[in-house]
Amino acid sequence: MHTLLVSDHHFYIGNPEAPQAWLDYTLNQNVLTLVHTEVTAVLQGQGIAGQLVAFAVTYARHFNLKVVPLCDYAAGQFAKKAEYRDVLLNP
């Protein structure tokens, strides 16, 4: 398991200047919009993108945020996982 970190507008793994995987987001009031997920070749195939989305859901729950999954990958995860629906802005 890799350590997931938070910076301005990114959940990421690795060095903040050159992350190995990241999920870009925007935060407007209490709405967390998941914009783009990227995993570099070195980490592909390890379920890292799914871990990033799961981390975003945990983050949203912790800070009482609602989520809009604009990213195709994140939207797919929300469609597959009923346990994520409690944080959706429009379930």
Side-chain angles (χ1 to χ4, degrees):
M1 179 89 175
H2 297 276
T3 301
L4 296 162
L5 304 165
V6 180
S7 71
D8 266 354
H9 308 293
H10 310 284
F11 301 114
Y12 68 98
I13 293 171
N15 183 317
E17 286 80 36
Q20 295 176 313
W22 62 94
L23 173 54
D24 295 332
Y25 67 87
T26 61
L27 182 59
N28 187 6
Q29 295 181 16
N30 71 331
V31 178
L32 182 69
T33 302
L34 307 180
V35 179
H36 177 74
T37 306
E38 187 83 26
V39 178
T40 60
V42 69
L43 294 180
Q44 286 181 355
Q46 299 179 42
I48 300 297
Q51 290 176 31
L52 287 165
V53 173
F55 185 80
V57 169
T58 300
Y59 184 89
R61 287 180 180 137
H62 181 77
F63 290 103
N64 199 29
L65 305 172
K66 290 299 182 181
V67 176
V68 175
L70 290 184
C71 164
D72 288 340
Y73 181 83
Q77 290 295 295
F78 274 82
K80 290 178 189 175
K81 297 185 180 270
E83 65 268 27
Y84 290 176
R85 294 195 184 126
D86 64 303
V87 297
L88 278 174
L89 180 62
N90 297 308

